[in-house]
Amino acid sequence: MSGGRNLVRLGILLSGRGSNFLAIAESIRQGRLKGAEIDVVISNVPDAGGLKIAEELGLASKVFASTGRKRAEHDADMLTCLQAHKVDLVCLAGYMRLLSPDFIAAFPNRILNIHPSLLPAFPGLDAQRQAFDYGVNVAGCTVHFVDDHLDHGPIVLQRAIPVLDSDDAHSLSARILAEEHLAYTEGIGRVVSGEYAILGRRFVKRTH
Ligand code: GRF
């Protein structure tokens, strides 16, 4: 995606506490995620914790409250904002609302999401508890491109962890979250490098 010396411009979409957003911002600050910068943080929830983090980090942020609004209209506002900030890559970081087809079409294979399960297992809400209750031995997280289906697009990377006998759904979620923070930086880094191809659903490294 990068190619030249220009930084890839990231737009973060979130709805909640923003720990994945913070992990991305820290990775950039500490030089662990090169070639990218965060240009705008957008929340659909006015009191999302992630907005406070953006303010503390001195990053531009914007609220587009989604309650009671039609998805297409709400997403059109977000799209205008992202385009005004010349965003190249949209990163969903706990953005808890489905995106409209028009929004997704505006960023083909340019929207990433992190999901707290090893997809295609346990899409949707409360994935960690779904996995725990199902009794899986291995859990984890997935960084993937966003397409028109929920938690479905091509997978960039996954990180797996064992489920311990001593786990409950909370401890498992906490250990998955720690993996998410590593995975998202690595996944964005792979995309920002531009050295990949998407073959069918497969994300493969491209060597020049
Ligand atoms: C994470 O578990 C992420 O995988 C899911 O929503 C949660 C967001 O957490 N999509 P945070 O706001 O990044 O702390």
Side-chain angles (χ1 to χ4, degrees), residues 97-118:
R97 195 174 200 241
L98 290 174
L99 292 166
S100 59
D102 283 352
F103 185 96
I104 294 168
F107 289 99
N109 284 340
R110 289 284 179 271
I111 307 172
L112 287 175
N113 183 40
I114 182 134
H115 184 74
S117 78
L118 296 172

Side-chain angles (χ1 to χ4, degrees), residues 17-20 94 114-116 128 180:
R17 68 191 161 185
S19 74
N20 276 288
I114 182 134
H115 184 74
Q128 308 93 324
E180 290 182 41

Side-chain angles (χ1 to χ4, degrees), residues 20-175:
N20 276 288
F21 153 49
L22 178 60
I24 296 164
E26 288 292 287
S27 294
I28 292 173
R29 194 177 62 81
Q30 294 166 7
R32 283 180 286 111
L33 175 48
K34 295 192 198 310
E37 63 178 22
I38 297 173
D39 285 276
V40 67
V41 178
I42 295 178
S43 174
N44 67 319
V45 176
D47 63 352
L51 289 167
K52 212 171 166 50
I53 296 173
E55 191 187 330
E56 284 164 7
L57 296 177
L59 292 169
S61 65
K62 189 92 185 149
V63 176
F64 293 103
S66 56
T67 306
R69 291 202 67 201
K70 288 204 174 108
R71 193 185 312 286
E73 288 168 16
H74 172 260
D75 288 6
D77 287 349
M78 292 202 299
L79 183 56
T80 301
C81 176
L82 292 165
Q83 286 170 340
H85 283 272
K86 298 187 166 45
V87 163
D88 302 302
L89 181 66
V90 178
C91 299
L92 308 186
Y95 183 73
M96 303 304 282
R97 195 174 200 241
L98 290 174
L99 292 166
S100 59
D102 283 352
F103 185 96
I104 294 168
F107 289 99
N109 284 340
R110 289 284 179 271
I111 307 172
L112 287 175
N113 183 40
I114 182 134
H115 184 74
S117 78
L118 296 172
L119 291 171
F122 314 118
L125 291 176
D126 227 353
Q128 308 93 324
R129 176 167 287 283
Q130 288 187 57
F132 182 78
D133 289 348
Y134 196 89
V136 297
N137 287 184
V138 179
C141 62
T142 303
V143 178
H144 66 94
F145 287 108
V146 170
D147 67 9
D148 279 325
H149 304 281
L150 178 67
D151 299 328
H152 176 267
I155 290 171
V156 177
L157 71 86
Q158 298 183 298
R159 289 179 70 94
I161 54 168
V163 180
L164 307 176
D165 287 347
S166 56
D167 267 329
D168 58 22
H170 285 289
S171 63
L172 181 61
S173 295
R175 289 194 299 110

